[in-house]
Amino acid sequence: MDMWVIRDDGERWSGTVATLDELHRVMDRRRQAGGPEGNYWWCWDGLIVRDPGVLSMAKVVDGIVASGEHETAFPHIDPEEDIWAEGTRPDHAERQWYHMCCTRNSRAHLR
């Protein structure tokens, strides 16, 4: 699941959250397709969590933000106002967004 930590000042960090079980499924599917990616998985902003589900993952991210570890656990990306060019933001019908309030005047977005 892709997510962002966004502070009130617009500073952002990106993350991709997955469980070991999900990574095994992805790698098995890629191996069956005959691709070399079936032998490994990598992601520039990956976080592996123990338990599945949006609420469980949100709780982990909330703890990371509360401790301040998001600044080292996730890569820093450009401020929020630079994300979407004029008229390119997907509408709600195209994407379902999950929002969670985090501590330290931040919010994490999970999609």
Side-chain angles (χ1 to χ4, degrees), residues 8-72:
D8 288 342
D9 65 4
E11 291 296 311
R12 300 182 319 130
W13 292 263
S14 170
T16 300
V17 185
T19 63
L20 284 174
D21 287 342
E22 181 57 25
L23 295 179
H24 281 264
R25 281 190 284 277
V26 168
M27 291 170 58
D28 288 347
R29 191 170 49 241
R30 290 176 177 174
R31 179 180 283 166
Q32 289 173 356
E37 299 89 1
N39 294 319
Y40 64 89
W41 182 85
W42 74 272
C43 179
W44 76 289
D45 62 353
L47 175 69
I48 299 171
V49 297
R50 182 173 301 279
D51 299 317
V54 172
L55 294 177
S56 175
M57 291 176 180
K59 185 176 180 179
V60 169
V61 172
D62 186 37
I64 291 171
V65 171
S67 71
E69 291 180 19
H70 65 285
E71 294 186 16
T72 54

